[in-house]
Each structure stands twice: as C-alpha cells, then as structure tokens.
Amino acid sequence: MLKKTPIWCPGCGLYLLNSGLANTLTRLGWNKSNTVIISGIGCSGRTSGYYDLDSIHTTHGRAIPVAEGIKVGNPDLNVIVFSGDGDLLGIGGNHLLHASHRGLNINVICNRNDIYGMTGGQASPTTPLDWNTKTYNEQIPKYAIDSFNIFRDLPKFYYARTSTSNPANLFKILRDGLSFNGFTYIEVLSPCVTEIGRLQHKDNVQENIEYYKNFITDKQIKKDPLYLEFVEVRNES
Amino acid sequence: MQILNGNQILVQSIINLGGTFFSGYPITPASTIMNEWVRFSKKNNKLKFIQSEDELSAINMAIGASLAGEISFTATSGPGISLMQESIGWAFAIEAPIVIVNSMRRGPSTGMPTIGSQGDILQTNFGSHGDYEIPVFYPSSLENIPFYTYQAFVTAEKLRTPVVLLLDGYLSGLQKNINTKKIMNIPLVKKSLEPLSKNEKTRYFTGLVTNEDGDVRSYSVDDYEKWLNHRLQKIVPLKKNNYYQYIDNNSDTLVISFGINEILCKDLSKKNINVLIINQLFPIMDGVVDIINKSKNVFVCEINKGQYISILSALIKDKELKFIEIKDIDVPIDNILRKINAG
C-alpha cells in the first residue's frame, strides 16, 4: 500500500500505526477498487497521500463530513478516516459528536499523540493537565477530553483505545474494528518524540512507555501491567 | 400550470436534471429548499439527503458525495456562505464539481433574515483566501430559474469547479401560476469525473499545491504557477457566453442590473432607456463589456452599496459608471428616472 517515503520523524508512532493499517487492509481484502481513505490536517493528516487508494486530504477538521457524504453517495465503499487528536476532537469535535450519533458504517482512526505536532508543540484537546507544552497556561487550565463520553449512550458502535506500544493488540483491534458493521472509532496513543518527548523529561523511550502503561481514563479500563487495552462494542439495533 | 415559488422551481429543476444528493442546514430563506427536497425524496429512492449539524459539514458532505459519483448541491444564505468559504476554496483546489445555492438576504451578520438583497455578490469570488475564480449564475425571473440551474450544474460537471447559483430572498419567495413545461423539459446532466474507486489510477485529492507528478513536496514557484493557472484558465471560455438580456432602444442611457430587478428594468425600458440584465456575473462576459463600451451614460442598479459596479469599473477605462442603490423592490419607477436624469 505505501508507495512513498513518509515525512514523519524517526520514532513517530505513525509508522507502526500505518504498518498495522496496511497489513489489515491486505488481510481484509480492501484495495483500491473498494476503499477510500480520508485524512485531515497535521502530521497524521499526511497519511492519505501514502496509500495506493483513492485518497482525500481535507481542510482542518472536516474529514468526517466528507467521509459521511462519500458513504451516503456510494454505500458499497469502505470508508476510512485517519486523523489526529487535534483534528478530530478539536476543530472537528462537533463532527465526531454528530457522526457517531448518525451511526453510518465508517471507520475513524485517531492517532492520538496529545499534541499539535506539525505546528510545533501546542497543547491539544487531549493533552493531560500536568504536561508541559509550548502553550501551557497556568491561569486557564483545560481538562483533557475523553472521547468515550461521546459514545456512552449510543446503542451501536465499536470503540477501542490502545497504543503503539502494543502491536499484537493494535493489529487485532484494527481488524475487528474495520470489519465491524457500524460506526468504528479506534484511538491509538502514539508518541510524538519531537514535540512531546523533549518537553516533558520524557525524552527516553522507557519513560514514554511507562506513561502509556499507567494511563487511566475510565473505571472500566483493564489495567494490565504488560498491555494497554480498552474495547467497548455495542451492537443493539 | 401550477402555483410555485422560486425555491420550489429550483428544487424541481434540480431533480429533473438528475441531481441526486443534497445536504443542508436550515436558514431563512433557504430552508424551504430543504423541505421541498425531502418531500420529493420520500417518494423517490434515488434522491439522497443528509441534514448536517452545521454549514461547514453541509458543504463537505456535498463535496464528498460529488466525488463518490452523485450530482450534489447545498443551499444556504449569507451567514452560511461565510462559514463555507474555506471549503469553497478547497473545492476549487481539488477541482470538485459542486453547486452552492445562495438565497441572499440582508446582511451583514444576522441582518434582516426575511428581506432579500444582492449583498453577497463580491463574496462569491472574493470570500475565500488566495487567488481563485468560480462561475456565478443569477436567474432574474421565475421563468429562467430552470435554465440557469441547468447551466450551473452542467458547468460544474464539465469544468470540475464549484459554481455559485445566486437567488435573492425575493425570488425565493415569489409565487406565480407558472407553466411547468420548462421545468420538466430540462436535459440530464452527466458526471464527468470518475467516481471514487472506479478510476484506473488512484488519485490524491488535496488542497496542497502539487507538482505534475502529484507530489506535494514541491517548493518551486513554477509548480505553483502551473497548478494555479490550470485552475484559473478553465473558466475563461465562459466569457464567450451570451447569458444576458439586452433591450436596445437606441438611447444614450444604459441601465444595468440583475436578479429581481428585471421587473423594474422592463418598466424602465418602456421609457426609452437601454436595459441590460446580466445572468452570468462571473466571469464577466465579453458581450457585456462591448455593450458598455458602446453606451454613453451607464448606470448600475443594485440592492447593495455598490458591489458589481466595482468589478465592472475595473474593466471600463474610458467612462465612469454611475451607481443607483435600489432600496427596496417596490420603489416607484419615477425615483429611478429622477436619478438617471440628474446624471
């Protein structure tokens, strides 16, 4: 699937995530005759240019509406939205809220690195309070958004949160999520070593892994010392 | 014969020419377009509809559906067009065929939602950032709404460009007992862009500037020139169109207008004044420039503070065009004649 050398920094979580996605597409038989990939703006948003599929690079935050229009226009297409946490939960947060409630069969993959990487390290909607970013402001702190809250009351969805530190789990979640017949949202915690690592004293790999292992967002999460996994699937019609 | 208003004629024309997808957000005076579309889509499975959560997603859904193979459009008014500007520029960059209907109301900001105006003319071509140009069609009566609706869609598909179809709040609500033959006899519009996943080679639709190989990592000004010129030159042939109505009374005075003002202009033409009603606002037609150059005293009447006259004045070097503001559509014709005679 990948035909050009991506621009991402060495050590970026996007490399593993895209390897997993490419692998999954091959296993599921999704190729250029039946699949479309759409991405937003940012480092994660450059993804769509590297696949041998018809791909669309939208304006900031509008990947999900374009995907919904495509799905209603041609319901036989497999539609994948691939973007970052700033694009999907910040400027595009409203679209995620409404698209999850519309429940069309599209797949949204969020590369969650908790930062606006391409513009140089500003805080994103999911950046934890205690992180130091270029726009950290003590006067007006902002709590991090937990995207599961959008899905809490819906009867049908596939929601998963995992990390790039956990490839076997990640690849299985991608397979299950993409083949789910309903709205799929997969959130993948992934490191941005250039912008986060060196600003937090987390500039070595071990501390980054420790951070992801101890990440707690919900009481239902299974805190396993070796793996990070949280999957919630509901399929009542 | 049927009693129909402008919005209903618009929707029925679009259905008859093969339009299949509409996404919209309610706004006066364009909400009835959505209601009418839904009324027809309940009886016709081919018509698809999404009510979006805001105008930003309305236009992006329509662009997505257009790329996937539908003939799609969205309809809104001034405040919605302001929100859609970034996506209109994006549609210009990726060469997506889409029609955006703007039923103009008084602005700026919330303004007067139920009173029509012609205040969004400059916004059609100067609202988004950067250098771009898109075609703009503006019917001037209920009878020519089907023709210019067809022109908007066929231009969008043939040239792969976003197109703005203007109406004003007056035309949207104007009702008449109308002969529906013109609405029914409208030709079908076909898609020219291969739908997604049906093309032989995979395509990358991006707002970034690409070089000839489709690579976004190009930093040379030459690549930018080629990319932009390809998109700007596409609509130059439209300058040869004759989408205007010229009533020549051999007078020294010429009155130019568009939209709902056609009624006023037809009355003026009975007082031995030349009248020009323009139905394609952008790109500016060569025929219009020729007519203005041939006339001596030229007045432009608009329901705004002087928008289209500023565009025409940039092209006419030898004389000064004079502006007459139409404050409301039931202005007595003597007021206009007085301003014309005063020069």
Side-chain angles (χ1 to χ4, degrees), chain A residues 66-86:
Chain A
V66 174
E68 289 183 297
I70 291 175
K71 189 70 185 179
V72 170
N74 184 353
D76 299 327
L77 281 176
N78 301 317
V79 175
I80 305 172
V81 173
F82 190 109
S83 201
D85 50 293

PDB file of all heavy atoms in Angstrom, chain A residues 66-86:
ATOM      1  N   VAL A  66     -16.800  14.751   5.064  1.00  0.00           N
ATOM      2  CA  VAL A  66     -16.526  14.268   3.706  1.00  0.00           C
ATOM      3  C   VAL A  66     -16.743  12.765   3.654  1.00  0.00           C
ATOM      4  O   VAL A  66     -17.329  12.227   2.716  1.00  0.00           O
ATOM      5  CB  VAL A  66     -15.086  14.631   3.284  1.00  0.00           C
ATOM      6  CG1 VAL A  66     -14.745  14.024   1.951  1.00  0.00           C
ATOM      7  CG2 VAL A  66     -14.922  16.127   3.220  1.00  0.00           C
ATOM      8  N   ALA A  67     -16.316  12.064   4.712  1.00  0.00           N
ATOM      9  CA  ALA A  67     -16.496  10.616   4.738  1.00  0.00           C
ATOM     10  C   ALA A  67     -17.966  10.244   4.755  1.00  0.00           C
ATOM     11  O   ALA A  67     -18.385   9.294   4.087  1.00  0.00           O
ATOM     12  CB  ALA A  67     -15.805  10.029   5.971  1.00  0.00           C
ATOM     13  N   GLU A  68     -18.767  10.996   5.500  1.00  0.00           N
ATOM     14  CA  GLU A  68     -20.197  10.679   5.546  1.00  0.00           C
ATOM     15  C   GLU A  68     -20.846  10.921   4.202  1.00  0.00           C
ATOM     16  O   GLU A  68     -21.682  10.138   3.744  1.00  0.00           O
ATOM     17  CB  GLU A  68     -20.872  11.528   6.619  1.00  0.00           C
ATOM     18  CG  GLU A  68     -20.509  11.111   8.015  1.00  0.00           C
ATOM     19  CD  GLU A  68     -21.250  11.932   9.046  1.00  0.00           C
ATOM     20  OE1 GLU A  68     -21.041  13.150   9.079  1.00  0.00           O
ATOM     21  OE2 GLU A  68     -22.030  11.345   9.792  1.00  0.00           O
ATOM     22  N   GLY A  69     -20.450  12.001   3.539  1.00  0.00           N
ATOM     23  CA  GLY A  69     -21.007  12.270   2.212  1.00  0.00           C
ATOM     24  C   GLY A  69     -20.658  11.155   1.240  1.00  0.00           C
ATOM     25  O   GLY A  69     -21.498  10.723   0.446  1.00  0.00           O
ATOM     26  N   ILE A  70     -19.405  10.657   1.331  1.00  0.00           N
ATOM     27  CA  ILE A  70     -18.990   9.585   0.430  1.00  0.00           C
ATOM     28  C   ILE A  70     -19.773   8.314   0.726  1.00  0.00           C
ATOM     29  O   ILE A  70     -20.215   7.607  -0.181  1.00  0.00           O
ATOM     30  CB  ILE A  70     -17.485   9.327   0.571  1.00  0.00           C
ATOM     31  CG1 ILE A  70     -16.710  10.515   0.024  1.00  0.00           C
ATOM     32  CG2 ILE A  70     -17.072   8.060  -0.139  1.00  0.00           C
ATOM     33  CD1 ILE A  70     -15.233  10.410   0.235  1.00  0.00           C
ATOM     34  N   LYS A  71     -19.985   8.012   1.998  1.00  0.00           N
ATOM     35  CA  LYS A  71     -20.661   6.771   2.349  1.00  0.00           C
ATOM     36  C   LYS A  71     -22.103   6.775   1.901  1.00  0.00           C
ATOM     37  O   LYS A  71     -22.616   5.774   1.421  1.00  0.00           O
ATOM     38  CB  LYS A  71     -20.584   6.561   3.869  1.00  0.00           C
ATOM     39  CG  LYS A  71     -21.062   5.206   4.334  1.00  0.00           C
ATOM     40  CD  LYS A  71     -20.113   4.113   3.912  1.00  0.00           C
ATOM     41  CE  LYS A  71     -20.652   2.751   4.260  1.00  0.00           C
ATOM     42  NZ  LYS A  71     -19.778   1.667   3.839  1.00  0.00           N
ATOM     43  N   VAL A  72     -22.778   7.942   2.041  1.00  0.00           N
ATOM     44  CA  VAL A  72     -24.163   8.015   1.583  1.00  0.00           C
ATOM     45  C   VAL A  72     -24.196   8.033   0.057  1.00  0.00           C
ATOM     46  O   VAL A  72     -25.087   7.451  -0.551  1.00  0.00           O
ATOM     47  CB  VAL A  72     -24.847   9.260   2.180  1.00  0.00           C
ATOM     48  CG1 VAL A  72     -26.188   9.502   1.546  1.00  0.00           C
ATOM     49  CG2 VAL A  72     -25.000   9.106   3.665  1.00  0.00           C
ATOM     50  N   GLY A  73     -23.196   8.639  -0.556  1.00  0.00           N
ATOM     51  CA  GLY A  73     -23.178   8.690  -2.011  1.00  0.00           C
ATOM     52  C   GLY A  73     -22.954   7.327  -2.632  1.00  0.00           C
ATOM     53  O   GLY A  73     -23.560   6.983  -3.634  1.00  0.00           O
ATOM     54  N   ASN A  74     -22.065   6.518  -2.024  1.00  0.00           N
ATOM     55  CA  ASN A  74     -21.793   5.186  -2.549  1.00  0.00           C
ATOM     56  C   ASN A  74     -21.654   4.227  -1.380  1.00  0.00           C
ATOM     57  O   ASN A  74     -20.554   4.030  -0.860  1.00  0.00           O
ATOM     58  CB  ASN A  74     -20.509   5.208  -3.376  1.00  0.00           C
ATOM     59  CG  ASN A  74     -20.242   3.871  -4.031  1.00  0.00           C
ATOM     60  OD1 ASN A  74     -20.928   2.890  -3.786  1.00  0.00           O
ATOM     61  ND2 ASN A  74     -19.218   3.842  -4.872  1.00  0.00           N
ATOM     62  N   PRO A  75     -22.742   3.634  -0.909  1.00  0.00           N
ATOM     63  CA  PRO A  75     -22.682   2.815   0.307  1.00  0.00           C
ATOM     64  C   PRO A  75     -21.813   1.565   0.168  1.00  0.00           C
ATOM     65  O   PRO A  75     -21.475   0.958   1.184  1.00  0.00           O
ATOM     66  CB  PRO A  75     -24.149   2.414   0.536  1.00  0.00           C
ATOM     67  CG  PRO A  75     -24.950   3.391  -0.234  1.00  0.00           C
ATOM     68  CD  PRO A  75     -24.125   3.774  -1.413  1.00  0.00           C
ATOM     69  N   ASP A  76     -21.425   1.197  -1.047  1.00  0.00           N
ATOM     70  CA  ASP A  76     -20.604  -0.005  -1.189  1.00  0.00           C
ATOM     71  C   ASP A  76     -19.141   0.227  -0.877  1.00  0.00           C
ATOM     72  O   ASP A  76     -18.375  -0.726  -0.789  1.00  0.00           O
ATOM     73  CB  ASP A  76     -20.698  -0.544  -2.624  1.00  0.00           C
ATOM     74  CG  ASP A  76     -22.112  -0.931  -2.971  1.00  0.00           C
ATOM     75  OD1 ASP A  76     -22.819  -1.381  -2.046  1.00  0.00           O
ATOM     76  OD2 ASP A  76     -22.488  -0.784  -4.134  1.00  0.00           O
ATOM     77  N   LEU A  77     -18.732   1.496  -0.749  1.00  0.00           N
ATOM     78  CA  LEU A  77     -17.317   1.774  -0.498  1.00  0.00           C
ATOM     79  C   LEU A  77     -16.980   1.552   0.964  1.00  0.00           C
ATOM     80  O   LEU A  77     -17.782   1.848   1.850  1.00  0.00           O
ATOM     81  CB  LEU A  77     -16.994   3.225  -0.834  1.00  0.00           C
ATOM     82  CG  LEU A  77     -16.800   3.604  -2.294  1.00  0.00           C
ATOM     83  CD1 LEU A  77     -16.589   5.092  -2.396  1.00  0.00           C
ATOM     84  CD2 LEU A  77     -15.617   2.871  -2.867  1.00  0.00           C
ATOM     85  N   ASN A  78     -15.778   1.050   1.225  1.00  0.00           N
ATOM     86  CA  ASN A  78     -15.257   1.026   2.594  1.00  0.00           C
ATOM     87  C   ASN A  78     -14.577   2.362   2.840  1.00  0.00           C
ATOM     88  O   ASN A  78     -13.715   2.773   2.074  1.00  0.00           O
ATOM     89  CB  ASN A  78     -14.215  -0.088   2.749  1.00  0.00           C
ATOM     90  CG  ASN A  78     -14.794  -1.439   2.443  1.00  0.00           C
ATOM     91  OD1 ASN A  78     -15.896  -1.744   2.851  1.00  0.00           O
ATOM     92  ND2 ASN A  78     -14.042  -2.250   1.727  1.00  0.00           N
ATOM     93  N   VAL A  79     -14.974   3.039   3.899  1.00  0.00           N
ATOM     94  CA  VAL A  79     -14.502   4.399   4.134  1.00  0.00           C
ATOM     95  C   VAL A  79     -13.682   4.432   5.413  1.00  0.00           C
ATOM     96  O   VAL A  79     -14.130   3.984   6.463  1.00  0.00           O
ATOM     97  CB  VAL A  79     -15.708   5.362   4.258  1.00  0.00           C
ATOM     98  CG1 VAL A  79     -15.241   6.741   4.622  1.00  0.00           C
ATOM     99  CG2 VAL A  79     -16.469   5.401   2.954  1.00  0.00           C
ATOM    100  N   ILE A  80     -12.463   4.944   5.319  1.00  0.00           N
ATOM    101  CA  ILE A  80     -11.591   5.058   6.493  1.00  0.00           C
ATOM    102  C   ILE A  80     -11.231   6.526   6.672  1.00  0.00           C
ATOM    103  O   ILE A  80     -10.800   7.180   5.729  1.00  0.00           O
ATOM    104  CB  ILE A  80     -10.290   4.268   6.295  1.00  0.00           C
ATOM    105  CG1 ILE A  80     -10.596   2.823   5.963  1.00  0.00           C
ATOM    106  CG2 ILE A  80      -9.428   4.339   7.533  1.00  0.00           C
ATOM    107  CD1 ILE A  80      -9.355   2.068   5.576  1.00  0.00           C
ATOM    108  N   VAL A  81     -11.409   7.027   7.890  1.00  0.00           N
ATOM    109  CA  VAL A  81     -10.951   8.371   8.235  1.00  0.00           C
ATOM    110  C   VAL A  81      -9.743   8.205   9.137  1.00  0.00           C
ATOM    111  O   VAL A  81      -9.799   7.491  10.127  1.00  0.00           O
ATOM    112  CB  VAL A  81     -12.047   9.158   8.974  1.00  0.00           C
ATOM    113  CG1 VAL A  81     -11.515  10.476   9.472  1.00  0.00           C
ATOM    114  CG2 VAL A  81     -13.243   9.369   8.077  1.00  0.00           C
ATOM    115  N   PHE A  82      -8.649   8.836   8.788  1.00  0.00           N
ATOM    116  CA  PHE A  82      -7.423   8.699   9.578  1.00  0.00           C
ATOM    117  C   PHE A  82      -6.951  10.093   9.914  1.00  0.00           C
ATOM    118  O   PHE A  82      -6.631  10.863   9.019  1.00  0.00           O
ATOM    119  CB  PHE A  82      -6.365   7.968   8.755  1.00  0.00           C
ATOM    120  CG  PHE A  82      -5.162   7.559   9.550  1.00  0.00           C
ATOM    121  CD1 PHE A  82      -4.937   6.230   9.832  1.00  0.00           C
ATOM    122  CD2 PHE A  82      -4.250   8.496   9.999  1.00  0.00           C
ATOM    123  CE1 PHE A  82      -3.822   5.837  10.561  1.00  0.00           C
ATOM    124  CE2 PHE A  82      -3.142   8.123  10.737  1.00  0.00           C
ATOM    125  CZ  PHE A  82      -2.928   6.782  11.007  1.00  0.00           C
ATOM    126  N   SER A  83      -6.941  10.451  11.203  1.00  0.00           N
ATOM    127  CA  SER A  83      -6.509  11.800  11.528  1.00  0.00           C
ATOM    128  C   SER A  83      -5.991  11.851  12.951  1.00  0.00           C
ATOM    129  O   SER A  83      -5.860  10.830  13.608  1.00  0.00           O
ATOM    130  CB  SER A  83      -7.671  12.766  11.323  1.00  0.00           C
ATOM    131  OG  SER A  83      -7.159  14.063  11.157  1.00  0.00           O
ATOM    132  N   GLY A  84      -5.685  13.027  13.414  1.00  0.00           N
ATOM    133  CA  GLY A  84      -5.068  13.178  14.730  1.00  0.00           C
ATOM    134  C   GLY A  84      -6.051  13.676  15.771  1.00  0.00           C
ATOM    135  O   GLY A  84      -7.208  13.948  15.488  1.00  0.00           O
ATOM    136  N   ASP A  85      -5.576  13.792  17.006  1.00  0.00           N
ATOM    137  CA  ASP A  85      -6.488  14.190  18.076  1.00  0.00           C
ATOM    138  C   ASP A  85      -6.875  15.656  17.963  1.00  0.00           C
ATOM    139  O   ASP A  85      -8.005  16.031  18.285  1.00  0.00           O
ATOM    140  CB  ASP A  85      -5.875  13.908  19.456  1.00  0.00           C
ATOM    141  CG  ASP A  85      -4.479  14.458  19.589  1.00  0.00           C
ATOM    142  OD1 ASP A  85      -3.586  13.953  18.887  1.00  0.00           O
ATOM    143  OD2 ASP A  85      -4.273  15.387  20.392  1.00  0.00           O
ATOM    144  N   GLY A  86      -6.011  16.521  17.480  1.00  0.00           N
ATOM    145  CA  GLY A  86      -6.393  17.922  17.317  1.00  0.00           C
ATOM    146  C   GLY A  86      -7.429  18.088  16.219  1.00  0.00           C
ATOM    147  O   GLY A  86      -8.369  18.869  16.340  1.00  0.00           O
TER     148      GLY A  86
END
